[in-house]
Amino acid sequence: MNTSQITGCRSCAADTLINVLSLGETPLANSLLTADQLAEPEARYPLELAFCPHCTLVQITETVSPEKLFSEYFYFSSFSDTVLEHARTLAEKVIKTRGLNGTSLVMEVASNDGYLLQNYQRAGIAVLGIEPAANIAKVAQDERGITTICDFFSESLAHDLRGSGKTAAVIHAHNVLAHVPDLNGFVQGLAVVLKDAGVAVIEVPYVKDMIDRCEFDTIYHEHLCYFSLTALDHLFRRHGMFIQEVLHNPIHGGSLQIFVEKQGAGRETRQTENVGRMLQAEQDSGMDAPDFYLGFGARVERLRNDLLALLHDLKLQGKRIAVYGASAKGSTLLNYFGIGRETLDFVADRSTIKQGRYTPGTHLPIYSPAKLLETMPDYVVLLTWNFAAEILMQQAEFRQRGGRFIIPIPELRIV
């Protein structure tokens, strides 16, 4: 069975979930199509967002099996210069602050193509990646020499690793916690495989940024959960761990980077002032109550109406419009807003893995960014708005020739 609907909170199991937004039924956001698949029926799944008043976790209510979502995957982290630089500076910081050396082991869950672990390996530190997508794990192994286990991380796998003598001084989990159906098993697995004095470095999109900046397009079936620091605090304390430090950074539209350590073992469990301040700020802003989230849908509808009106006016003027970014968030926006081939000509994307395929639901052809200069559309809707600065710089020539970008989020603007 490919899907199931939850009856209780994914974190605390409370059965008092409150629905806050419905995006209808949409195709899987990363299920890019081949030309042969365009005539075949395309599966769609409900996309409903809910809030747990007990532990404050925001989550979708439909679970699509991880095997269907991630066994073959099209997102390669190394195609983004922003992500590569973020990974490099983080690894350098962790090596220095944790005193890592040749006897240390660094693991990463959902290690993708080795974009992060390569920085540790270059510094002479042993690494181990865990990546369920066979096509991506192969790239990490063959092209970067990153030892990679091709599997889903779980408590069972963590016990196997510990049983074979592999425990981590540092374990990274970036943009994966939101993808996990069994949150408690995953976090318990981190506790199992982490050394007593180790640290787990975890990054998740921040739900407050999603709400404040109307980033509804970050909602798709891969993202089961949308975290506040309060929800994360409840989750990790349940498994004998605590959030020692939190940083709020702008990557991916706004993320929390948390440093998690184990409680006990004679160690003092001190949190930085940042953690206490953010927990208090979330409470003060009402993030622990449903009213904070219930107005989200109306703001999404206003954005939808504004963007549709703009695109309609441009088409009436005879303008040609393309898209930049065959992203998951772009799939959510196009499908929910009902924008397709009647309005848009094609999608440009830097990922060679995506080029030659078609977008889910809307069936737009995906080309290299060179297509922009070849055809010079008048406007390009930038759906990977989280990398706007990087992409606008890369497309300087297109803009110099008169091409313009429409950036829909966090607010509609033309540059």
Side-chain angles (χ1 to χ4, degrees):
M1 186 172 178
N2 287 328
T3 67
S4 61
Q5 191 168 45
I6 60 172
T7 57
C9 174
R10 296 178 185 278
S11 180
C12 71
D15 60 359
T16 52
L17 295 180
I18 299 169
N19 288 336
V20 296
L21 176 67
S22 173
L23 295 176
E25 293 192 348
T26 67
L28 299 180
N30 274 310
S31 59
L32 303 179
L33 307 173
T34 64
D36 293 339
Q37 293 172 316
L38 292 177
E40 298 175 4
E42 200 168 355
R44 291 176 176 263
Y45 304 91
L47 198 51
E48 311 282 337
L49 194 69
F51 170 75
C52 176
H54 185 71
C55 74
T56 78
L57 181 65
V58 177
Q59 55 208 284
I60 63 171
T61 57
E62 196 81 9
T63 304
V64 179
S65 72
E67 290 77 14
K68 184 171 181 63
L69 289 170
F70 300 114
S71 293
E72 183 182 24
Y73 204 48
F74 291 99
Y75 179 77
F76 282 72
S77 298
S78 293
F79 281 112
S80 168
D81 295 339
T82 301
V83 170
L84 287 174
E85 179 61 17
H86 178 70
R88 185 188 65 80
T89 56
L90 175 60
E92 289 177 353
K93 171 186 172 181
V94 172
I95 291 170
K96 182 177 179 180
T97 58
R98 305 301 294 196
L100 302 183
N101 55 41
T103 66
S104 307
L105 173 63
V106 176
M107 296 184 189
E108 185 180 12
V109 178
S111 50
N112 204 266
D113 57 6
Y115 76 103
L116 172 62
L117 291 179
Q118 64 182 349
N119 296 286
Y120 289 102
Q121 186 161 270
R122 288 168 184 163
I125 296 165
V127 299
L128 177 64
I130 302 164
E131 171 55 53
N135 61 319
I136 297 180
K138 188 175 190 304
V139 170
Q141 188 89 41
D142 295 352
E143 296 184 15
R144 292 192 169 85
I146 304 294
T147 301
T148 304
I149 297 172
C150 186
D151 202 352
F152 290 95
F153 183 75
S154 64
E155 185 178 354
S156 174
L157 178 58
H159 280 293
D160 290 344
L161 290 169
R162 190 175 188 91
S164 65
K166 292 184 174 64
T167 53
V170 177
I171 184 164
H172 286 274
H174 295 236
N175 297 296
V176 60
L177 194 61
H179 297 176
V180 177
D182 181 11
L183 278 178
N184 291 291
F186 185 95
V187 171
Q188 186 59 39
L190 295 180
V192 167
V193 83
L194 191 65
K195 288 182 178 295
D196 287 345
V199 64
V201 184
I202 297 166
E203 289 187 358
V204 295
Y206 189 25
V207 72
K208 188 174 191 300
D209 290 321
M210 182 181 84
I211 300 298
D212 288 349
R213 295 162 55 88
C214 204
E215 296 170 355
F216 81 97
D217 57 344
T218 60
I219 302 169
Y220 43 90
H221 295 97
E222 291 171 19
H223 283 176
L224 301 173
C225 299
Y226 305 80
F227 293 101
S228 63
L229 187 63
T230 304
L232 290 166
D233 188 55
H234 287 307
L235 174 61
F236 283 99
R237 287 188 183 278
R238 193 178 302 126
H239 297 279
M241 305 175 80
F242 72 101
I243 299 171
Q244 185 270 331
E245 173 65 296
V246 60
L247 301 174
H248 182 200
N249 60 52
I251 196 165
H252 297 303
S255 297
L256 293 181
Q257 183 182 86
I258 60 173
F259 296 79
V260 181
E261 298 183 2
K262 289 184 176 182
Q263 295 174 347
R267 300 170 60 244
E268 191 175 1
T269 58
R270 287 197 305 176
Q271 294 179 318
T272 67
E273 291 182 359
N274 284 344
V275 178
R277 276 197 298 264
M278 183 172 284
L279 288 172
Q280 186 61 51
E282 289 186 353
Q283 184 176 342
D284 292 345
S285 65
M287 290 177 65
D288 56 351
D291 287 350
F292 181 83
Y293 306 93
L294 288 172
F296 189 38
R299 294 169 55 217
V300 173
E301 282 306 302
R302 285 196 295 273
L303 176 61
R304 179 179 185 272
N305 292 337
D306 290 346
L307 180 58
L308 289 177
L310 172 63
L311 296 179
H312 178 71
D313 288 346
L314 292 175
K315 293 301 285 186
L316 287 179
Q317 297 170 35
K319 304 298 184 184
R320 291 176 299 118
I321 308 170
V323 168
Y324 194 105
S327 61
K329 56 172 52 69
S331 177
T332 292
L333 186 147
L334 294 179
N335 281 285
Y336 181 58
F337 283 5
I339 306 170
R341 300 185 76 157
E342 76 292 335
T343 304
L344 306 169
D345 294 347
F346 63 88
V347 179
D349 196 286
R350 197 178 178 191
S351 172
T352 54
I353 308 301
K354 297 179 180 182
Q355 292 162 17
R357 291 187 176 250
Y358 295 80
T359 55
T362 50
H363 297 182
L364 295 165
I366 304 168
Y367 296 100
S368 159
K371 186 78 169 177
L372 296 177
L373 292 177
E374 292 171 9
T375 61
M376 284 304 299
D378 300 290
Y379 291 86
V380 177
V381 183
L382 181 53
L383 296 182
T384 44
W385 47 262
N386 50 320
F387 297 123
E390 174 184 331
I391 292 165
L392 292 176
M393 182 174 64
Q394 291 168 355
Q395 296 304 317
E397 184 177 351
F398 172 75
R399 298 174 69 199
Q400 288 168 1
R401 292 190 190 182
R404 306 186 73 185
F405 279 87
I406 299 169
I407 304 178
I409 292 174
E411 58 188 15
L412 187 61
R413 60 193 177 102
I414 299 175
V415 296

